[in-house]
Amino acid sequence: MSIPVPACKQEAGAIHPVIDLKRCEGKGDCERVCPESVFEVKRIDEDDYWRLGVLHRFKLRVHGFRVAYTPNADACRSCGLCVTACPEQAITLVKR
């Protein structure tokens, strides 16, 4: 039995996912569930790393310095699977 995939609600690019780097632990659930390949989990960019506070930088060290980025955010069609899949609740969908 297959799990039904929610219908995409918007045209691509009308909504984009925003990731809270203070919450993201780079587990990659968003990357796995996204039907549009919006996400990429990789090592945090140095500029983003230094903008975080000491405790958040320590947390990132524990989690291997990995976070999710959205290089293909314009492909997002607002299905919401990433929001549901993220165990840290680090993703919100925002209207452009």
Side-chain angles (χ1 to χ4, degrees):
M1 184 164 73
S2 65
I3 298 172
V5 176
C8 295
K9 300 173 185 170
Q10 299 286 331
E11 288 189 30
I15 302 287
H16 70 278
V18 174
I19 300 171
D20 182 347
L21 296 179
K22 293 177 181 176
R23 297 184 76 123
C24 182
E25 295 179 1
K27 292 178 180 166
D29 294 348
C30 55
E31 190 176 33
R32 283 188 288 282
V33 301
C34 182
E36 305 298 334
S37 301
V38 168
F39 299 90
E40 177 184 1
V41 176
K42 65 178 190 170
R43 185 178 179 91
I44 190 168
D45 292 340
E46 192 169 334
D47 289 342
D48 290 336
Y49 178 77
W50 289 110
R51 276 189 220 121
L52 298 172
V54 173
L55 291 176
H56 292 109
R57 290 196 308 260
F58 178 74
K59 177 183 168 187
L60 277 173
R61 181 177 296 267
V62 170
H63 292 285
F65 297 100
R66 296 178 58 76
V67 294
Y69 283 101
T70 57
N72 300 316
D74 288 339
C76 179
R77 296 178 52 82
S78 186
C79 68
L81 290 172
C82 58
V83 174
T84 304
C86 181
E88 290 81 34
Q89 299 176 335
I91 303 170
T92 55
L93 297 178
V94 178
K95 202 172 237 186
R96 289 224 180 222

